[in-house]
Structure formats: structure tokens, C-alpha cells
Amino acid sequence: MIEGWKNVPLSELATFYSGGTPNKGQPSYWGGAIPWVTVKDMKVMRLNGVGESLTEEGADTVRVVPAGTVLVLVRGMGLFKDLPVVLCDRPVAFNQDIKALVAKKNIDSEYLAFALIARKSDILRHVDSAGHGTGRLDTDLLKSTPLPIPPLSEQRKISEILRTWDKAIEKLNALRAANLRRRIWMRTHLFTGRTRRPGYSGEWREVALGEILTEHRLHGTGAEEVFSVSVHKGLVNQIEHLGRSFAAAETGHYNRVLPGDIVYTKSPTGEFPLGIIKQSKVSQEVIVSPLYGVFSPTTHALGVILDALFESPVAVRNYLHPLVQKGAKNTIAITNRRFLEGKLHLPMDPMEQAAIAEVIDTSQAELSCIEAEIDLLTRQKRGLMEKLLTGEWRVKS
């Protein structure tokens, strides 16, 4: 072991506490100032808001832990994939699926949270099934997990360094959120004609998609890569997305997608119960399953505008819902022909279309840069954690 460092079981580093759920049928317990944490609130390491809160009366019925407490999920479906760890910046209550770890003397709670995150993969090996797809992390096994512990001053310095990366990522996430809010504003104003671009006064009218999209059924040659449609990423390589490969013989009847084409998949998701509509931003021709409808826009600008409009689950639902027809055995069916019958309010002036598309492209380029920077800093932080939390890189305290 590195000089000054020790491997110490978690039970000697923190005191464990269990949580609980106040009576949901008692209104006087709920809606106060004391956060009540559930797995839904454990998205990032630093607690930044909760869905529910307790009054003093409600908090008296459960455990409330002090600021600086580390929360670890020990029961939940998500445990098979990840180990949520949260550092609390205020006193909180929490439910029975979570354990609270209050750091003991000479242990920095922020360092403790980072050290737990660094050991996620090892800890997750102890997760077993509690039935019905729910994961369970045995508390005794968690307590026995050894963590590398340097002197307190070095713990604090390591936390300070990693906190710097967290703050930078936090600022970029705020920029990303602002960009997405602007895109929502654009969908409801600029892209619908409610707020016009300066210098343009051309007609906006209801247009059937069949007037601006043409369905094509070009088949693949066998040389193209197979893609599928993702809610958040658009068209993605299916081998990377699903981890499956395809022989050329299996894809001869697949539909070819040209750069800029609009692709409609009828596969429902939670956010998009009637399917997903995305524009291909892939630079080369690819192929997709014949279950997907593929349509070419009359202009590049209209393709960009449609993709931006259909970024919203609400817009997709509002467009597709009137087109639903009941199929065999009462299934929901929207044929490709029917898909083109729906109408949208769009600008007819090609110059205004191009101007709006330029705004969209600029916003998307900004978002891509922000997300690339977040990804870079996240990978840098992961590398720093590996070096700093093992003592491979020492810091001066």
C-alpha cells in the first residue's frame, strides 16, 4: 500500500442509517421544506432538487440526516446497471430503498462519495435479485467494501481538484439546458410563424406532408451500413446501438436512406407512443428496416425544419394522433401513405425556409459543441479519479 494510505472497510468510514416513507395518506406530512429523496432524485452526485418534500411533522416519522451525508441506492431496478451515489448539501430524509452514510471522524464526506463512485463496478457485482426485476445490494456486503483512504488533508485536496471538474461540467450542463430551452421557444414561435424572421412577409399555410415529402423505396446494395432510429440520437449505427451484426443477404430488402431524408418508425416508446420521426444527419447513404418509412424533402431547409419540429414528443403526438387507424386485432396503424396526409403550418417562401433552417443549424452546432465538451471533461474527470483515488498520482495537501 502507498505510504500514508490504508484500505479501510466502509463500515469503519461511515455510520449507516436506513430511511422510510411517511404515511402518504397524511396530508400534513407532505409539502414542507425538508427534501425527501428517492431514486428519481439520484441522477447526479450532487443533490440538485427533489420531487417531494416533508413538513417537520412528516420528518419526525422518519430519519433525517445532516448535510454532507452520502446516499447510496441499495434496492431498485436500476441497480443492475448503475449505483446511484448522492452527496447531500442540506439535511434530507430518504426512503427505504436508500442507505445514508454519515462520514466518521477524519473522513471527508465528499472524498467518500468520489471513492464509492470509483468502486461502482466492484460494488455492483454484489447486486442480486429481490424478485420482479428489482436489484438488491446487501448492506453487510456494502459495509465490507474496502476503500483506499489517504490522510484527511489529502482527501480534501483530492475532493477540491475533482470538484473543479464538476463545476466546469455543471456550467456546461447549464449552457446545454439553456440551448434546449431556446429550441423549445423556437418550435413554438419562430418555426410556427408566431414570430417572423425580420425581412420576410411571405405566405405561411397548412401543407400536407405529401406536398413537401416524397416516399422512396430504394433498396440497399448490400454495401451500406444498417441503421436504426434512436429517440435522443436520431439515426444510429445498428451494430453499435444493439450489438448485432447483419449478413448482406438479410438486408437486400431494406430501405435506403439518403443524407437529409426523413425517417418514420412506428415502434412506440414511452415518450413517443405513436413512433419517432427523425432526419438522417449521416453523411453517407445507409439502410434501415423496411418497417421504417423513408421520405425525401423537396428542399434541405424543409427537412431541417421538420426535424426540429418533430424533436418535441408533443409535436409528434399532435401530428400523428389524428392519422391513427385501427388495424387488425385493434392494433394502431399509420401507413406511409396516411403519414403523408397530415398537415403542418409552414412557410412557403424558400428564402424564409432557408433563414429558419440556418437558425436551427446554428443552434444544433452549438449544442453539439457543448455536448462534446461535456463528454471530454467527463472522461478527463474519470481518468483523474482513477489516478487520484488510488494514490498513483499524489497531491500536496
Side-chain angles (χ1 to χ4, degrees):
M1 195 68 193
I2 297 165
E3 183 181 353
W5 286 57
K6 298 180 292 184
N7 269 330
V8 184
L10 194 49
S11 59
E12 296 180 22
L13 303 175
T15 303
F16 281 60
Y17 295 102
S18 299
T21 301
N23 186 346
K24 290 280 190 175
Q26 183 57 262
S28 63
Y29 287 178
W30 299 91
I34 301 169
W36 182 69
V37 182
T38 71
V39 64
K40 295 178 182 178
D41 308 308
M42 302 178 73
K43 304 299 184 186
V44 292
M45 181 183 128
R46 300 175 197 279
L47 190 67
N48 60 1
V50 296
E52 297 183 87
S53 59
L54 304 178
T55 61
E56 294 283 353
E57 184 182 356
D60 284 343
T61 68
V62 291
R63 171 78 63 178
V64 176
V65 289
T69 296
V70 177
L71 301 181
V72 181
L73 186 72
V74 294
R75 182 183 172 88
M77 296 178 67
L79 270 180
F80 290 113
K81 294 182 179 179
D82 190 27
L83 179 71
V85 176
V86 165
L87 178 66
C88 303
D89 63 353
R90 71 204 85 166
V92 302
F94 52 100
N95 76 1
Q96 59 274 13
D97 294 334
I98 297 168
K99 291 294 181 184
L101 282 61
V102 177
K104 293 184 178 181
K105 186 179 179 181
N106 293 325
I107 300 299
D108 179 71
S109 58
E110 191 172 14
Y111 177 90
L112 181 64
F114 282 128
L116 278 167
I117 290 169
R119 291 294 306 274
K120 273 186 180 184
S121 58
D122 294 327
I123 295 172
L124 286 173
R125 293 193 186 102
H126 298 306
V127 173
D128 60 15
S129 177
H132 305 290
T134 300
R136 182 189 63 179
L137 178 59
D138 184 83
T139 302
D140 288 335
L141 289 174
L142 180 61
K143 286 181 177 181
S144 67
T145 302
L147 297 180
I149 303 297
L152 179 59
S153 57
E154 195 168 351
Q155 293 176 41
R156 288 172 174 165
K157 187 63 180 179
I158 291 171
S159 295
E160 180 186 340
I161 293 169
L162 294 175
R163 193 185 314 129
T164 301
W165 259 255
D166 280 346
K167 287 180 178 178
I169 293 170
E170 216 172 276
K171 288 179 180 178
L172 286 170
N173 277 322
L175 282 176
R176 183 181 185 278
N179 178 286
L180 294 175
R181 286 195 298 271
R182 285 198 301 274
R183 292 167 75 85
I184 292 171
W185 182 90
M186 286 190 290
R187 280 200 301 270
T188 56
H189 291 78
L190 189 60
F191 304 162
T192 59
R194 288 168 58 184
T195 301
R196 301 296 297 276
R197 293 282 290 163
Y200 299 99
S201 56
E203 179 190 13
W204 282 62
R205 66 179 176 86
E206 271 202 336
V207 181
L209 281 201
E211 296 180 50
I212 59 173
L213 292 180
T214 302
E215 181 184 6
H216 69 72
R217 295 176 180 172
L218 301 172
H219 293 316
T221 64
E224 301 92 346
E225 296 180 38
V226 180
F227 274 58
S228 58
V229 179
S230 162
V231 169
H232 300 293
K233 297 181 180 179
L235 266 73
V236 291
N237 184 293
Q238 196 160 14
I239 295 175
E240 297 174 9
H241 188 53
L242 299 178
R244 292 188 294 169
S245 59
F246 296 82
E250 296 176 333
T251 59
H253 62 301
Y254 275 42
N255 291 329
R256 198 184 322 171
V257 180
L258 311 179
D261 277 355
I262 299 293
V263 179
Y264 168 53
T265 170
K266 305 170 185 66
S267 301
T269 71
E271 284 184 284
F272 295 79
L274 298 178
I276 306 167
I277 306 169
K278 294 290 181 182
Q279 183 187 37
S280 174
K281 296 182 174 67
V282 186
S283 59
Q284 75 270 18
E285 294 182 8
V286 299
I287 52 176
V288 295
S289 161
L291 297 176
Y292 292 38
V294 182
F295 311 89
S296 291
T298 54
T299 68
H300 167 78
L302 282 171
V304 172
I305 291 170
L306 290 177
D307 186 58
L309 287 170
F310 289 133
E311 186 177 48
S312 162
V314 174
V316 172
R317 184 172 62 249
N318 289 346
Y319 178 77
L320 293 176
H321 191 268
L323 306 177
V324 170
Q325 295 174 316
K326 295 293 183 180
K329 297 182 180 179
N330 215 32
T331 57
I332 292 175
I334 300 176
T335 63
N336 292 346
R337 180 187 61 79
R338 182 74 170 152
F339 175 80
L340 293 173
E341 292 176 358
K343 295 183 177 181
L344 291 172
H345 192 64
L346 295 170
M348 293 295 100
D349 180 356
M351 297 294 290
E352 187 169 10
Q353 293 172 9
I356 293 173
E358 184 179 1
V359 173
I360 299 168
D361 284 337
T362 301
S363 173
Q364 182 59 53
E366 179 190 65
L367 181 62
S368 296
C369 286
I370 294 170
E371 289 179 335
E373 189 71 12
I374 290 172
D375 181 63
L376 175 63
L377 289 181
T378 300
R379 285 187 283 112
Q380 286 179 347
K381 179 191 167 187
R382 194 179 301 126
L384 271 174
M385 288 176 68
E386 185 178 334
K387 302 292 187 183
L388 294 174
L389 295 170
T390 59
E392 185 176 343
W393 286 359
R394 299 298 298 271
V395 296
K396 292 182 179 180
S397 51

